[in-house]
Amino acid sequence: MHLFDKLFGLGAPIKAKAPEHAVVVKFDYIGSTDLQPLFDLEHLLEEALLAASAGELDGNEVAVDGSDGFLFMYGPDADRLFQVIKPVLEGCYFMKNANITLRYGPPEDGVRERSFVLGS
């Protein structure tokens, strides 16, 4: 490789970025500002996603009064993400009737999404 090739990355293989699929979980929380139960759930989700190499938990948003919230997970396959996290969500008391949205691509207009209630 020539010096300029090394400096400017010429000749290096270009890696295609995997599609950014998502699973977004909207849930009714316990009406408390104690977030420890949510952090415990996040820990279980992270372990499951890591063990399956399915993606990652990006974080949460919870209402100031603790009434409801969202979890955000990303990876190359939304169906696989949900398959991995479903048993964890079903084992959590405050995830009952959570609204699940699977997004099959980046956050753009026209990207296919599928939404349903957990347990339905």
Side-chain angles (χ1 to χ4, degrees), residues 7 10 33-34 41 43 59 64 79 87:
L7 287 175
L10 300 175
T33 56
D34 175 12
L41 173 64
H43 179 73
V64 174
D79 291 318

Side-chain angles (χ1 to χ4, degrees), residues 85-105:
I85 65 167
K86 181 181 177 187
V88 178
L89 295 177
E90 289 177 333
C92 179
Y93 67 95
F94 60 85
M95 285 292 148
K96 183 177 180 177
N97 297 319
N99 292 294
I100 311 293
T101 300
L102 307 183
R103 189 187 71 224
Y104 298 93

Side-chain angles (χ1 to χ4, degrees), residues 9 25 40 49 56 58 66 75 100 104 110:
V25 180
D40 294 342
L49 291 167
E56 64 184 5
D58 188 44
I100 311 293
Y104 298 93

Side-chain angles (χ1 to χ4, degrees), residues 19-22 103-113:
E20 186 180 279
H21 289 201
R103 189 187 71 224
Y104 298 93
E108 299 173 348
D109 289 339
V111 172
R112 183 170 71 95
E113 293 185 353

Side-chain angles (χ1 to χ4, degrees), residues 2-81:
H2 292 67
L3 176 61
F4 287 109
D5 291 345
K6 287 182 182 179
L7 287 175
F8 297 107
L10 300 175
I14 297 173
K15 293 182 181 179
K17 185 177 178 187
E20 186 180 279
H21 289 201
V23 174
V24 178
V25 180
K26 182 184 184 306
F27 58 94
D28 291 329
Y29 197 50
I30 56 179
S32 169
T33 56
D34 175 12
L35 298 180
Q36 191 57 52
L38 179 60
F39 297 151
D40 294 342
L41 173 64
E42 286 183 324
H43 179 73
L44 295 173
L45 291 168
E46 287 172 335
E47 285 182 339
L49 291 167
L50 180 64
S53 298
E56 64 184 5
L57 173 69
D58 188 44
N60 68 62
E61 290 181 12
V62 178
V64 174
D65 64 358
S67 59
D68 62 6
F70 293 87
L71 290 169
F72 303 94
M73 287 151 278
Y74 300 96
D77 183 337
D79 291 318
R80 176 75 177 131
L81 276 170

